[in-house]
């Protein structure tokens, strides 16, 4: 490992550059290295983020580099790929994303990577599974941000509907980082209280918390952003920075991540978003929520959709 906390970001587009910015702003590491097939773009983003550092309390180094930088990186972030177009699902990007991953793996396979690999590229669950298998690394060291962003959007939806700060909303989105994700409403609380109890006690404030509406808005928020400006970038940048912080500071914090399931939630051989304890070694534990029968069926249905596209990934190799 590097003497400094070092993060390499492969793919310096909208998402990769905002990951670098979020990491720099929060002072999470001492060195950020940007890699991209378009080296001029990567260098320009690195210089732009480095300018911000002049106004921060930290002295993080932001630069471009080469795949050799992964040899002593604490975290390698894979954010390369193609953006979703209006009307596309994340799963629609599989073919183009696979071509990017093949190119990246042609370099990474030549390197012994000692750190953690966090993937962002869509479709998130399938790409995480592909990278993990091809690199031959254990599940704790290769995972995706998964449903972390979905969870943030769910909390924001709940907060907006009842005018409560999102930090007071506790819950998770599980399954695919995409349109089949589900919300275990049996575990959704506001300030530690079951939201259904709050609805009964104060229908005026909490009556708008309808499960169908919360799930729909959670699914659509990403496409609303894409329709408006062409890409999502700020939210996922901070999702990555938050997850990197949990790793580098060994926080043992519970965050949603797309990890290989090995029997948890009754699922095997599939990456899906679930709450995990994350620390210096990556995924330390999968937290198993007790789901209702209906919720279990919804989660299984989402995993089956991921499996279907995993088969398409195998065909695309």
């Amino acid at each position: 490992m590097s003497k400094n906390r070092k993060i390499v970001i492969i793919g310096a587009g909208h998402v990769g550059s905002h990951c670098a910015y979020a990491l720099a702003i929060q002072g999470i590491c001492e060195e950020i290295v940007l890699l991209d097939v378009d080296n001029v773009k990567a260098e320009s983003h690195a210089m732009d983020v480095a300018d911000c550092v002049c106004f921060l309390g930290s002295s993080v180094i932001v630069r471009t580099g080469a795949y050799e930088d992964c040899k002593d990186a604490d975290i390698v972030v894979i954010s390369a790929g193609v953006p979703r177009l209006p009307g596309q699902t994340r799963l629609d990007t599989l073919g183009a994303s696979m071509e990017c991953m093949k190119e990246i793996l042609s370099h990474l396979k030549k390197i012994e990577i000692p750190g953690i690999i966090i993937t962002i590229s869509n479709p998130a669950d399938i790409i995480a599974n592909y990278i993990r298998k091809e690199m031959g690394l254990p599940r704790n060291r290769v995972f995706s941000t998964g449903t972390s962003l979905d969870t943030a959007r769910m909390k924001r939806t709940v907060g907006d509907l009842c005018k409560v700060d999102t930090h007071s909303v506790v819950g998770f989105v599980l399954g695919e980082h995409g349109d089949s994700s589900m919300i275990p409403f049996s575990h959704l609380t506001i300030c530690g209280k079951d939201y259904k109890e709050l609805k009964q006690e104060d229908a005026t404030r909490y009556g708008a918390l309808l499960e169908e509406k919360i799930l729909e808005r959670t699914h659509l928020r990403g496409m609303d952003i894409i329709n408006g400006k062409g890409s999502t970038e700020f939210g996922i940048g901070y999702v990555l920075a938050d997850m990197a912080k949990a790793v580098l500071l060994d926080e043992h914090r519970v965050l949603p991540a797309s990890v290989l399931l090995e029997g948890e939630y009754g699922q095997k051989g599939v990456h899906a978003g679930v709450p995990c304890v994350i620390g210096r070694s990556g995924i330390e534990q999968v937290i198993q929520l007790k789901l209702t029968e209906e919720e279990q069926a919804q989660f299984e249905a989402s995993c089956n959709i991921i499996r279907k596209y995993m088969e398409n990934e195998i065909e695309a190799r």
Side-chain angles (χ1 to χ4, degrees):
M1 293 289 189
S2 170
K3 293 180 181 178
N4 296 325
R5 290 174 297 183
K6 177 180 178 181
I7 296 179
V8 175
I9 300 173
I10 302 173
H14 285 290
V15 172
S17 60
H18 279 81
C19 288
Y21 178 72
L23 289 166
I25 287 292
Q26 296 187 54
I28 291 167
C29 56
E30 285 79 37
E31 189 172 9
I32 301 167
V33 182
L34 290 173
L35 306 183
D36 197 277
V37 290
D38 185 343
N39 191 61
V40 173
K41 178 175 68 175
E43 195 165 297
S44 298
H45 278 312
M47 290 190 292
D48 201 6
V49 175
D51 285 345
C52 300
V53 178
C54 296
F55 302 93
L56 304 177
S58 64
S59 299
V60 58
I61 296 168
V62 187
R63 64 177 178 85
T64 55
Y67 278 94
E68 293 295 307
D69 280 291
C70 296
K71 285 184 175 180
D72 63 351
D74 296 277
I75 299 174
V76 175
V77 178
I78 299 179
S79 62
V82 295
R84 267 200 301 165
L85 299 175
Q88 279 190 320
T89 69
R90 295 172 183 85
L91 294 168
D92 291 332
T93 65
L94 177 59
S97 290
M98 281 294 295
E99 292 305 311
C100 292
M101 294 309 115
K102 289 176 185 177
E103 169 63 22
I104 290 168
L105 284 166
S106 70
H107 300 282
L108 289 183
K109 282 184 172 182
K110 300 174 184 176
I111 301 168
E112 184 176 344
I113 296 178
I116 304 297
I117 298 178
I118 302 177
T119 68
I120 299 175
S121 306
N122 282 321
D125 310 285
I126 293 93
I127 295 300
N129 181 68
Y130 177 59
I131 295 295
R132 177 190 55 77
K133 288 192 297 185
E134 291 296 309
M135 291 300 295
L137 295 173
R139 75 167 183 169
N140 66 296
R141 290 179 54 202
V142 185
F143 50 93
S144 165
T145 48
T147 50
S148 280
L149 186 55
D150 310 71
T151 296
R153 288 169 175 164
M154 178 273 289
K155 291 181 178 181
R156 191 156 68 89
T157 297
V158 171
D160 289 347
L161 288 173
C162 63
K163 293 182 172 54
V164 169
D165 186 275
T166 55
H167 296 90
S168 299
V169 180
V170 177
F172 295 96
V173 177
L174 307 186
E176 178 206 354
H177 173 47
D179 295 340
S180 74
S181 65
M182 54 80 63
I183 302 170
F185 285 100
S186 61
H187 293 274
L188 178 61
T189 63
I190 300 173
C191 292
K193 192 161 189 173
D194 189 312
Y195 88 98
K196 291 180 180 178
E197 290 183 35
L198 289 170
K199 284 182 69 173
Q200 292 175 349
E201 294 171 4
D202 188 351
T204 301
R205 180 161 205 159
Y206 301 102
L209 294 178
L210 304 175
E211 294 183 1
E212 297 82 3
K213 188 172 185 178
I214 294 170
L215 184 61
E216 179 185 39
R217 291 303 306 140
T218 299
H219 286 166
L220 292 178
R221 280 188 183 272
M223 185 51 67
D224 287 346
I225 295 169
I226 290 170
N227 287 337
K229 67 169 196 165
S231 67
T232 62
E233 49 205 342
F234 296 105
I236 188 60
Y238 267 78
V239 164
L240 182 278
D242 196 44
M243 193 168 281
K245 179 171 173 282
V247 172
L248 294 178
L249 300 187
D250 199 21
E251 291 183 332
H252 313 293
R253 188 150 50 96
V254 177
L255 295 170
S258 182
V259 64
L260 176 69
L261 297 179
E262 298 177 329
E264 298 90 351
Y265 294 92
Q267 302 296 316
K268 287 186 178 180
V270 63
H271 273 249
V274 290
C276 301
V277 180
I278 297 179
R280 194 66 184 82
S281 60
I283 304 293
E284 297 179 349
Q285 180 185 15
V286 172
I287 300 296
Q288 296 193 69
L289 302 177
K290 186 176 181 180
L291 303 181
T292 66
E293 188 174 329
E294 182 182 6
E295 289 168 349
Q296 182 64 40
Q298 292 169 350
F299 181 74
E300 184 174 344
S302 186
C303 288
N304 285 338
I305 287 175
I306 297 170
R307 283 192 180 91
K308 175 185 175 183
Y309 280 85
M310 282 170 57
E311 293 171 3
N312 293 345
E313 166 258 303
I314 293 171
E315 294 174 2
R317 293 190 193 186

